[in-house]
Structures are given as C-alpha cells and as structure tokens.
Amino acid sequence: AADLLAGRTPLAPISLQLDGEYRGTVGVWTGADAPDSVPTSASHCSDWSSTSGDGVYGISGYAAAELFDFDVVPCTASYLHVYCLEP
C-alpha cells in the first residue's frame, strides 16, 4: 500500500481478495488516475454520492497505470469492485 501511495509501479496485479480467493481481472472503482493523485469531483462521482456522470476505474489484472486508470464508466455501474489497501 505504501509503495502505491508513493506513486511506485506495483510488482504484481492486485487480484487477491481479502478472503484469499483469486479474483483475476475485474473492473475496480478508483476515482483517480493514480493512487498518489488528487481526484476531481468528476472522476469519482462526487465522492461516490451521485449516480450522474462518469467515474474512473482500473483493471485489477494489470501491474501498470491501468491498475488505477483504465477508462471511465457511468456512475450507475454497480458491477465494479473496490481496492482495499492496508499499510
């Protein structure tokens, strides 16, 4: 987590769930183009409180910029996951 928040490229994709299950490649809400950047209201669905507009998402199967900034989807997308990082 500390490496990601410092802007370092991860060594591997984030594909393991808390319960130990391998999740593979899925879309993940991030709301910013990198873990060390400040998001704008438009990129995170107004602090995840709005269903209007679009939000930034990443792809868990990547160990590069796409991990956090793959594309945008409508804020109504309910199929995306979230990353949970701890130091």
Side-chain angles (χ1 to χ4, degrees), residues 2-80:
D3 284 344
L4 283 175
L5 294 174
R8 295 182 191 94
T9 302
L11 298 175
I14 301 175
S15 300
L16 192 64
Q17 293 187 152
L18 183 61
D19 64 4
E21 182 181 335
Y22 176 75
R23 191 45 136 183
T25 301
V26 297
V28 182
W29 282 119
T30 60
D33 58 359
D36 63 337
S37 68
V38 178
T40 65
S41 181
S43 66
H44 60 61
C45 305
S46 297
D47 279 336
W48 310 115
S49 64
S50 175
T51 56
S52 63
D54 296 323
V56 176
Y57 77 99
I59 300 291
S60 66
Y62 286 90
E66 295 86 1
L67 184 68
F68 277 83
D69 184 18
F70 185 74
D71 206 351
V72 296
V73 292
C75 293
T76 56
S78 61
Y79 55 87
L80 296 175

